[in-house]
Amino acid sequence: MCSRDMDRWIHFNMAIVGGFLGGFAILNHHELFGSAQTSNLISVFADLAGHPDANFFVRLLGVFIYMFALSLTVILPKFTRLHLPYVSLFIDAMAALIVAFLPSDLNDFIALYPLYFAMAIQWCSFKGGDGFTCSTIFSTNNLRQFTTSMTEYLCSKDPDALRKWKFFASVLLCFHFGVIVSYLSCKNFGHTGSLVCFLPVFSGFCLVWTRKHFVAVKHFVYHYLITPKKSSAYTTESE
């Protein structure tokens, strides 16, 4: 397995996390999406034009929280030695923990603040895989890329279009697998079902660690696992 393969599997893993937390937001907070700000911005500007909304300032604060998280993904690499994917995974875990124990009567928009923060960090920490720019926290552009690359391949049989098609199909499947797991978790455990997200977060951490130490891991596997087997096989043949 090469570094590019690792990037691909990390992206698939993080798509599961994104689908899980996105599904959690929609299923538990009146179909409000916790991974993007399009609806919040539309509502804010509609409110500025005269549309009545008791949640105007709550929505506006959500936009600023999202923007602050996006800014951190620029600031942290410049002024700290923190590895951004690790930061994102830690924040995802903390967000899953926080939303599990928020009061059930809390304002839905406020309840989404931890997810706004976590998803903004994740968006900028895992930007793509297999040579493609691709989101792990929402699906509209991924659906576009899947559809257009599929159409391109069917029209021209371009192998690059086929590779792109397969990649985006896999991301979409992983994302919506996360949604299904989120639904089943919430159905059986309520809000505390968000803690099930710890599983893909942990596997994501393992994959990121392996990628970061890829050369050392590859050296260990070759010299301590593969080489002894080859030596043993050679000795047996000699006898």
Side-chain angles (χ1 to χ4, degrees):
M1 181 179 289
C2 66
S3 180
R4 185 165 179 167
D5 293 329
M6 290 298 305
D7 287 341
R8 184 189 310 120
W9 286 107
I10 288 169
H11 207 73
F12 293 163
N13 187 103
M14 297 314 297
I16 294 174
V17 175
F20 185 101
L21 294 178
F24 178 89
I26 289 175
L27 292 166
N28 292 280
H29 297 290
H30 296 91
E31 299 190 358
L32 296 173
F33 192 37
S35 300
Q37 291 299 305
T38 302
S39 62
N40 265 356
L41 286 168
I42 289 173
S43 295
V44 165
F45 281 91
D47 296 344
L48 290 174
H51 175 262
D53 184 359
N55 289 303
F56 173 76
F57 289 106
V58 176
R59 286 181 180 273
L60 188 60
L61 180 56
V63 173
F64 284 123
I65 289 172
Y66 202 87
M67 292 173 65
F68 174 66
L70 294 175
S71 298
L72 280 181
T73 65
V74 177
I75 294 169
L76 291 178
K78 289 183 179 295
F79 299 104
T80 75
R81 293 187 175 184
L82 294 173
H83 188 47
L84 206 53
Y86 285 151
V87 173
S88 176
L89 286 161
F90 174 77
I91 293 174
D92 283 345
M94 290 301 98
L97 179 64
I98 291 169
V99 298
F101 299 105
L102 290 176
S104 58
D105 59 347
L106 183 65
N107 179 289
D108 285 311
F109 294 102
I110 296 175
L112 290 178
Y113 286 174
L115 299 183
Y116 287 162
F117 190 81
M119 291 296 92
I121 297 285
Q122 181 174 318
W123 189 16
C124 294
S125 300
F126 301 93
K127 298 180 180 180
D130 215 13
F132 302 111
T133 300
C134 175
S135 171
T136 61
I137 65 169
F138 38 71
S139 291
T140 303
N141 186 61
N142 296 343
L143 181 63
R144 177 181 71 88
Q145 297 283 10
F146 165 75
T147 304
T148 55
S149 58
M150 175 182 65
T151 306
E152 176 64 34
Y153 176 71
L154 293 176
C155 291
S156 65
K157 303 302 179 184
D158 182 355
D160 288 334
L162 177 61
R163 185 171 70 87
K164 186 176 182 180
W165 175 17
K166 289 180 177 179
F167 175 79
F168 281 96
S170 298
V171 173
L172 287 169
L173 286 172
C174 289
F175 183 90
H176 293 98
F177 172 74
V179 174
I180 292 171
V181 174
S182 182
Y183 167 73
L184 294 175
S185 301
C186 294
K187 179 181 178 181
N188 289 285
F189 306 113
H191 279 199
T192 57
S194 66
L195 299 178
V196 174
C197 193
F198 281 12
L199 294 175
V201 167
F202 177 73
S203 62
F205 175 86
C206 294
L207 288 168
V208 169
W209 185 91
T210 303
R211 180 183 63 183
K212 188 172 176 62
H213 302 86
F214 181 75
V215 174
V217 171
K218 187 176 180 180
H219 177 83
F220 174 83
V221 170
Y222 181 79
H223 285 279
Y224 293 96
L225 299 180
I226 296 177
T227 303
K229 291 182 179 180
K230 287 184 176 180
S231 300
S232 176
Y234 177 77
T235 302
T236 302
E237 289 177 1
S238 298
E239 292 175 351

